[in-house]
Structures are given as C-alpha cells and as structure tokens.
C-alpha cells in the first residue's frame, strides 16, 4: 500500500524551533538515546560517518499499520499523561520522554533528517525537514532504500545528513561527554560509538571519575559503593573525606495536574565530590566542563550544571563535580517543570527551589568542608616531609663536615711534619682542627640550614589571640613572610606547628639541636594570662636559657618580670573587659610600630615607614587618648 507521512503541526514551527531547540550535539544525542531507551532498546549505535551522523537502536521500532508512526509524527503530544503510560512497553523502565518534542532534536543538527524504522517486518521511512510543504506531507523513503547498519528485525535509525555539528575527534572524549549527560547505562542498555574501524562501548557508569576524586558524599544505597573507589589518601581521616548518607528526603506540599494538593517526598539520590586537581581539565568548545553538578530525573538529564546557581564563587568550588537524581521532577501526575529545550527547569517550581536550597545550604557546604580538610591534611603532610628532609639534609651536612674536619686536619698535620715543623703530630692536628672550627662559619656551610628556619616566634596564650593577631598582621604588613613566623594559634595554617608535632619538640629540633647557630627572635605577648599558662612560662624560660633576642608586647595591668628583659621599655596595650576589646594610646601605638620595625631591621626585612605603620595599626585596633 502507499504510505503517507503527515506531520500534525504547523510547518513553520519546525523552521523556527528546529535549529534553536538544542545548543549542543550531545544534548541532541541524549534525546535520541532517551527515545531508544523508551523503546526498550538494549543497544544504541552512534555512528559518525563522513557525511552524516547516524543513531540506530534495537528497540521495538514503529509499525505504520498499528499507528506507531502516526503517533511519532504527532509533535508536542504528551507521551505520559497517567501513571499507567509512564512506563515502557516492557514495564521495566520509567519513560524519559514527556513533551513530544525530542523528535525535533535532530533538526538542530541537520536541515534534513532521515527517519527509518522496522517493526514486525513492516518498514517505514520519511525525511523530517525544517521546511515542509503546506499539505504537511513529508517525503517518503522507498522501502528498498531503507537500510540499517546494525539492526535487522526491529528498531529505528535517525540519520542526520550534512550535520552542522561534529563529534569530538576522540571517541574517548565522545564517551566521556555522553556519560556526563546520560549516565543510565548498564549491561541491559549499552551505547556503541563507531567511527570507521574505531569503536567504543559504554556499558557502565564512568567509575574512573571516582579515582580522580579526594572527597565524596553519596546519597542513597545505590550509590554508596562509589565511596570504595575514591583513593584512600589519608586512611586515618577517611570518614572526614568520604561520607555515605541515606537518600535525602524533603517533604513538600504540591498541587497535581488536577488542582488537588497532596503531600510528597522530594527524594534526592546521587553523589557529589571534589577533584584532587583541576590540571589538564580544559574542555573543547563543544565539550562539557568537568566542574558541574547535574540534575537527572528518571535517568534523563534535566539540567547540566546548577553550580553557578548554588555556588558562592569560592575558589575551591572549581573542584566540585556531582550528579543528583530527583525522580519527583518527572512524576507524571505533577505539572511538567522542564523547559522546552530540555536543558533546564522552571526556576519557580517548588521542587526545584527546595532542591537548590538543600544543595546550597547543606550538600555543597559539606563537600567544601571536606575539601578544606583534605587541603589541611595535604599541607601538613608536605610540611612534615619537608621537615624530615631538612633534618636529614642537616644531618648529612653535619656528617660530611665532621668528616672533612677530621680528614683535613690529619692531612695538614702530615704535610706540616714533612715540611720540617718540629711538633708532635697530635698537636699539629689539634691546631689545624681548632683553626677550622673557628673559621667554619665563613665557609657558608650553615646558610642552607639557616634559610629553612622559622625566624620569629609569637609567644602567646589563646585568651590573648586577638592581640597576637594584631602583631602577626603588622609583621606581614612589613613584608615578613608568614613562612618565617611560628604562631601556634594563627588562622594561617602556614604559621602553625605541623599536625602531630608538639611545639616544644619542634622548637628543640629546629632551634637548639641544629647545626645552625641562627636563633629565633621571640615576641612575647604578656598579660595576666601568662602567669597561669605553663606553655607561656616554659617559652620564657627557654628564651632565657638560649639567650635569644626578644620584644615584649604587654596587656595591662600585667607587669613583665625577669627573666624577660623587664629593664627595657616594653609596649603596653589596654583591654576593656572582653578579650578583643583592645585599645592603645597614641604613645603606645608609636612604641608598637617602633618595636615591629626594630624586628624587621634586625632580621633584614624591608619595613614600612612609621606613618604607614601607624595608619595600618589604626585599622586593627582602637587608638585613643587616656
């Protein structure tokens, strides 16, 4: 019989919508793959040829006699109106399609698209075009011209001719991009990517992405096992980096399509994590970036990236990646909340608003805290390794120099004896060795050791942290590197003692039991809290024993005493009640700046001018007359 293909839509709509409905080749492919999924296909073949891009599937296909083709050409007719027709023919899958416009996706790529299908031996074919005749008839493809490359008994082929978009040159990149927008693949639904003799098969979630993460949060039992794939970088802190949560359920009161209000549960499943590094992650113009939080419903992507909406432009947000599944977004009895281009959701829908609020307030904040924990652990680990290397280098230097002294003194003594010096060999050896010891600093051997030392210790108690922070800020303002400052309660992790190290062990290793003769310069923050702090008293004693230079920054009414240098003028600051209610007189503000500048002069830092320092100090503490 003669077959006719009439499209039930105003022809102008294809010309208007076709080229503009989708903005990316992978969104188009996702729509065609979704159609195949809804047709209960087990295999989808994406074939990139020289002159076309072909998408074939081994789904049920469409029968002309049974009205399948007519229903396909009924554009914008909803494919889901009740829960009964919300599943595929096999009743094993939830339908992805709903609006009835996904079939137009291919027109975003090509002006003319061949649609060929077979079901029960019944072949049909027609050309879907952006421009059709006024009678709405599409050009038929003769049955002898209907050909398939990978299917035989049933299925559908969509051929986008002279495509305006092309797939990535690398099939691996194509695979990566498809997995980002269509992760619902399994042994029962495979995607084959073919170009010439090359081919890739997608049959499982991209688990490789988990090996690139250092933190992860999973939601729901189906995703809990992903945590096992994240590298165990810091085993003792595993629970602080990887979290496994149950499905997040948010109760909502919503109005269904009939206007009746019901209580629903917005259930969120999926995962969110952070990369260890973003290096090498620059995407091609047609690719999707690796930094995103995607939303899926019924396995189909509804929005690729909500991160710009939920984020707060924090630097560590560039490491975030995630995929969240919210099937309530596609519940048939509720209004359709997807935008017409299937690339986003209506921003005022209560389901969307609730999801964004949860991600912004809880989920994103949680994963960023875990990322900060990893950064602290990594920095601590680097510091410990650096210190171990420093200690080993110093020991090697010590051994090498001791060996040099012994060898050189013995050789010099023998040479002097040969020249006729009349003294015992042991005496000559001692004279030469003493001379080497006296002049060894001039050899520059300690410079390497000295260059790796902390140079300034801010000795304080935790209740006086607000004043110690001012001293620290003024040092940094005067070009003192934070790397050179040891301040145990500092907000800047660089200044603190490495995790796992005790402050006194650290001081002993690097400032007393060292080949270097460089001594740390101590700035003592003293107050009534000092005399009841064992740690502060110990540091004062250590300073006196090792005879290191120090300056005193005092909070009244406390009066510093010996062994501190209480005979030299100290700086005084006033406190009104609370620890951070500090103020200085103009005189003591000047003395404060004078002492900071003196430290810079002693240690060779390029200090600021007095006027600049006083002005900056005024931004940190109140300066007023008595």
């Amino acid at each position: 019989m003669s077959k006719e293909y009439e499209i039930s839509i105003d022809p102008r709509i294809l010309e208007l919508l076709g080229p503009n409905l989708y903005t990316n080749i992978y969104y188009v492919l996702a729509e065609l793959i979704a159609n195949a999924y809804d047709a209960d296909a087990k295999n989808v073949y994406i074939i990139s040829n020289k002159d076309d891009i072909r998408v074939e599937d081994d789904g049920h296909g469409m029968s002309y006699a049974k009205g399948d083709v007519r229903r396909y050409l009924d554009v914008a007719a909803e494919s889901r109106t009740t829960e009964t027709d919300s599943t595929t023919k096999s009743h094993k899958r939830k339908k992805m399609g709903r609006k009835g416009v996904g079939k137009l996706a291919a027109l975003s790529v090509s002006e003319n698209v061949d649609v060929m299908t077979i079901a029960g031996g019944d072949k049909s074919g027609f050309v879907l075009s952006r421009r059709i005749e006024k009678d709405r008839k599409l050009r038929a493809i003769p049955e002898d011209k209907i050909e398939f490359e990978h299917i035989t008994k049933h299925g559908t082929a969509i051929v986008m001719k002279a495509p305006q978009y092309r797939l990535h040159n690398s099939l691996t990149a194509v695979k990566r991009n498809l997995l980002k927008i269509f992760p619902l693949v399994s042994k029962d639904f495979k995607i084959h990517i073919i170009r010439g003799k090359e081919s890739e098969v997608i049959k499982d979630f991209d688990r490789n992405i988990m090996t690139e993460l250092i933190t992860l949060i999973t939601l729901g039992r189906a995703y809990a096992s992903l945590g096992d794939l994240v590298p165990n970088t810091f085993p003792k802190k595993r629970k602080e980096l990887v979290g496994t949560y149950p499905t997040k359920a948010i109760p909502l009161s919503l109005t269904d399509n009939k206007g009746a209000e019901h209580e629903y549960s917005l259930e969120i499943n999926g995962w969110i994590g952070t990369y260890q590094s973003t290096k090498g992650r620059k995407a091609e113009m047609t690719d999707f970036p690796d930094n995103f939080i995607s939303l899926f419903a019924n396995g189909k992507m509804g929005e690729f990236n909500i991160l710009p909406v939920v984020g707060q432009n924090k630097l560590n947000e560039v490491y975030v990646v995630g995929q969240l599944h919210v099937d309530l977004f596609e519940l048939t009895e509720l209004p359709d909340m997807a935008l017409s281009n299937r690339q986003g959701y209506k921003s005022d829908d209560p389901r969307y608003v609730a999801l964004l609020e949860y991600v912004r307030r809880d989920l994103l904040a949680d994963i960023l805290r875990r990322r900060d924990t990893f950064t602290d652990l990594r920095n601590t680990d680097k510091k410990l390794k650096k210190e171990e290397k420093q200690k080993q280098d110093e020991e090697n230097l010590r051994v090498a120099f001791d060996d040099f002294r012994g060898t050189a003194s013995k050789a010099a003594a023998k040479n002097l004896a040969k020249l006729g010096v009349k003294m015992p060999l042991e005496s000559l050896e001692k004279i030469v060795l003493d001379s080497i010891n006296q002049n060894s600093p001039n050899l520059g051997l300690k410079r390497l050791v000295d260059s790796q030392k902390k140079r300034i210790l801010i000795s304080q108690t935790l209740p006086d942290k607000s004043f110690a922070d001012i001293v620290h800020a003024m040092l940094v303002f005067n070009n003192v590197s934070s790397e050179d400052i040891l301040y145990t309660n500092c907000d800047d992790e660089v200044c603190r003692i490495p995790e796992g190290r005790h402050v006194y062990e650290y001081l002993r290793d690097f400032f007393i039991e060292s080949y270097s003769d460089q001594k740390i310069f101590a700035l003592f923050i003293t107050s009534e809290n000092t005399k009841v702090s064992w740690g502060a008293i110990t540091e004062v004693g250590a300073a006196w024993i090792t005879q290191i230079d120090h300056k005193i920054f005092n909070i009244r009414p406390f009066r510093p005493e010996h062994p501190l240098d209480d005979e030299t003028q100290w700086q005084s600051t006033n406190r009104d009640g609370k620890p951070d209610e500090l103020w200085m007189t103009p005189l003591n503000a000047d003395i404060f700046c004078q002492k900071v500048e003196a430290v810079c002069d002693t240690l060779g830092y390029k200090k600021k001018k007095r006027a600049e320092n006083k002005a900056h100090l005024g931004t940190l503490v109140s300066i007023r007359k008595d």
Side-chain angles (χ1 to χ4, degrees), residues 105-143:
L107 290 175
S108 298
V109 178
S110 298
E111 188 171 341
N112 297 295
V113 177
D114 288 355
V115 180
M116 297 175 287
T117 186
I118 179 171
D122 180 10
K123 283 186 176 182
S124 301
F126 53 88
V127 179
L128 189 62
S129 177
R130 295 178 191 169
R131 297 178 178 83
I132 57 176
E133 300 300 323
K134 291 184 179 180
D135 61 2
R136 300 181 181 177
K137 296 293 191 298
L138 302 181
R139 181 166 59 85
I141 300 175
E143 286 195 21

Side-chain angles (χ1 to χ4, degrees), residues 18-160:
N20 305 307
L21 192 58
Y22 298 88
T23 58
N24 186 297
I25 180 65
Y26 295 101
Y27 284 121
V28 174
L29 292 177
E31 286 289 355
L32 301 180
I33 293 169
N35 289 344
Y37 184 88
D38 286 351
D40 286 317
K42 293 185 177 180
N43 295 279
V44 180
Y45 303 89
I46 299 173
I47 307 153
S48 179
N49 296 317
K50 181 181 178 181
D51 298 319
D52 62 56
I53 299 174
R54 173 184 287 251
V55 179
E56 282 188 10
D57 69 74
D58 59 4
H60 297 299
M62 295 180 286
S63 167
Y64 187 93
K66 293 180 179 180
D68 296 333
V69 174
R70 178 185 56 78
R71 284 189 289 273
Y72 177 86
L73 291 174
D74 191 3
V75 176
E78 283 195 274
S79 60
R80 285 191 283 123
T81 55
T82 66
E83 290 305 313
T84 304
D85 58 16
S86 293
T87 58
T88 61
K89 285 184 180 180
S90 68
H91 300 295
K92 294 180 180 180
R93 298 174 180 175
K94 291 182 180 180
K95 280 186 181 178
M96 293 184 179
R98 182 170 185 172
K99 287 184 180 293
V101 295
K103 63 202 70 176
L104 302 180
L107 290 175
S108 298
V109 178
S110 298
E111 188 171 341
N112 297 295
V113 177
D114 288 355
V115 180
M116 297 175 287
T117 186
I118 179 171
D122 180 10
K123 283 186 176 182
S124 301
F126 53 88
V127 179
L128 189 62
S129 177
R130 295 178 191 169
R131 297 178 178 83
I132 57 176
E133 300 300 323
K134 291 184 179 180
D135 61 2
R136 300 181 181 177
K137 296 293 191 298
L138 302 181
R139 181 166 59 85
I141 300 175
E143 286 195 21
D144 60 344
K145 299 293 184 181
I146 297 175
E147 298 177 342
F148 303 97
E149 294 189 20
H150 292 276
I151 61 175
T152 53
K153 297 180 180 179
H154 51 81
T156 300
I158 308 294
V159 184
M160 294 168 278

Side-chain angles (χ1 to χ4, degrees), residues 33 35 37 284 436 460 495-496 543 559 573 599 622 625:
I33 293 169
N35 289 344
Y37 184 88
E284 298 291 330
I436 292 175
Q460 38 72 55
C495 298
R496 298 196 297 267
R559 179 184 176 86
T573 295
V599 173
S622 175
K625 296 180 179 180

Side-chain angles (χ1 to χ4, degrees), residues 386-618:
K386 180 180 178 181
E387 288 166 18
E388 288 302 317
K389 184 177 185 304
Q390 180 178 328
K391 289 170 70 176
Q392 187 59 54
D393 288 345
E394 186 172 335
E395 180 58 28
N396 292 341
L397 180 60
R398 190 198 316 271
V399 170
F401 187 59
D402 286 347
D403 183 61
F404 161 76
R405 289 187 299 182
T407 303
S409 58
K410 284 182 172 61
K414 289 179 180 177
N415 289 332
L416 288 171
K418 289 179 180 178
L419 291 173
V421 178
K422 302 299 183 180
M423 285 182 68
L425 201 58
E426 293 79 4
S427 298
L428 287 174
E429 242 182 84
K430 186 177 184 307
I431 292 171
V432 175
L433 183 58
D434 289 344
S435 179
I436 292 175
N437 289 337
Q438 290 170 8
N439 291 282
S440 60
N442 296 330
L443 298 176
L445 295 174
K446 74 181 190 68
R447 244 178 244 162
L448 173 64
V449 177
D450 287 350
S451 67
Q452 298 172 347
K453 300 296 182 185
K454 295 280 189 182
R455 306 185 71 190
I456 300 173
L457 167 66
I458 299 178
S459 175
Q460 38 72 55
T461 62
L462 184 57
D464 296 329
K465 181 181 184 313
S466 57
F467 190 32
D469 284 345
I470 295 172
V471 174
H472 172 264
M474 287 300 294
L475 288 171
V476 173
F477 182 68
N478 279 272
N479 300 304
V480 177
S481 170
S482 291
E483 295 277 355
D484 293 347
I485 302 171
L486 178 58
Y487 170 21
T488 55
N489 288 316
C490 189
D491 294 333
D492 186 346
E493 190 264 345
V494 170
C495 298
R496 298 196 297 267
I497 297 294
E499 184 72 22
R501 293 293 302 278
H502 194 280
V503 61
Y504 306 123
E505 173 194 357
Y506 186 85
L507 289 170
R508 183 181 65 247
D509 283 349
F510 290 91
F511 303 112
I512 298 175
E513 295 180 2
S514 172
Y515 181 72
S516 170
D517 61 4
Q518 173 184 289
K519 293 179 180 179
I520 197 165
F521 199 114
L523 305 182
F524 287 102
I525 310 299
T526 58
S527 72
E528 294 291 336
N529 298 310
T530 304
K531 58 188 179 185
V532 294
S533 170
W534 180 250
I537 292 171
T538 304
E539 288 173 356
V540 171
W544 179 72
I545 291 170
T546 57
Q547 294 296 293
I548 64 174
D549 289 336
H550 65 271
K551 301 288 183 186
I552 302 171
F553 295 83
N554 183 57
I555 301 175
R556 290 174 175 164
F558 184 72
R559 179 184 176 86
E561 299 176 4
H562 193 72
L564 290 174
D565 185 7
D566 57 346
E567 295 180 1
T568 303
Q569 183 185 41
W570 60 76
Q571 191 276 342
S572 287
T573 295
N574 302 285
R575 176 153 53 197
D576 291 337
K578 295 181 180 179
D580 58 349
E581 291 182 353
L582 302 168
W583 63 277
M584 301 177 189
T585 65
L587 173 60
N588 274 304
D590 192 75
I591 294 172
F592 184 103
C593 296
Q594 178 186 7
K595 291 193 175 294
V596 168
E597 293 162 16
V599 173
C600 294
D601 287 337
T602 301
L603 298 179
Y605 294 105
K606 188 177 180 180
K607 67 185 180 184
K608 301 280 182 146
K609 294 179 180 179
R610 180 67 54 85
E612 293 177 284
N613 278 323
K614 290 176 72 173
H616 189 67
L617 180 61

Side-chain angles (χ1 to χ4, degrees), residues 160-329:
M160 294 168 278
K161 294 186 171 181
Q164 295 173 352
Y165 300 105
R166 282 291 179 181
L167 298 177
H168 197 287
N169 290 332
S170 164
L171 294 192
T172 303
V174 176
K175 177 179 178 179
R176 183 188 68 228
N177 290 328
L178 286 175
L179 275 169
K180 286 177 183 175
I181 62 173
F182 203 97
L184 200 66
V185 288
S186 66
K187 63 180 180 180
D188 298 319
F189 187 70
K190 301 175 184 176
I191 300 174
H192 306 256
I193 311 167
I194 302 167
R195 180 187 284 125
K197 295 182 179 179
E198 293 182 88
S199 65
E200 286 274 359
V201 181
I202 311 175
K203 56 184 177 180
D204 193 10
F205 169 78
D206 185 10
R207 296 177 181 272
N208 288 332
I209 196 172
M210 294 296 144
T211 64
E212 300 174 16
L213 305 182
I214 43 81
T215 66
L216 179 72
I217 294 172
T218 61
L219 299 173
R221 186 180 301 174
Y223 299 92
S225 62
L226 295 179
D228 298 333
L229 304 176
V230 177
N232 200 11
T233 314
F234 297 101
K236 293 181 179 179
K237 299 290 185 177
R238 181 72 175 178
K239 291 184 178 179
E240 296 180 38
L241 301 176
V242 177
T244 303
Y245 297 153
T247 298
K248 175 65 179 180
I250 302 173
L252 288 178
S253 181
L254 302 170
T255 303
D256 65 17
N257 290 323
K258 297 179 179 179
E261 190 169 303
H262 302 280
E263 297 300 318
Y264 294 90
S265 177
L266 182 79
E267 296 187 349
I268 306 169
N269 294 286
W271 59 272
I272 185 172
T274 60
Y275 294 109
Q276 179 169 348
S277 172
T278 57
K279 289 181 180 178
R281 296 191 172 279
K282 289 185 178 179
E284 298 291 330
M285 287 184 65
T286 56
D287 289 0
F288 295 91
D290 288 316
N291 172 218
F292 60 86
I293 301 176
S294 293
L295 300 182
F296 296 82
N298 288 354
K300 184 178 181 181
M301 189 181 74
E303 186 165 343
F304 177 67
N305 190 11
I306 62 169
L307 191 53
V309 182
V310 298
Q312 298 177 12
N313 292 320
K314 293 182 178 179
L315 288 176
N316 51 2
E317 287 175 4
V318 301
Y319 298 100
V320 173
V321 61
Q323 294 181 341
L324 303 178
H325 297 256
V326 194
D327 287 352
L328 192 68
F329 282 7

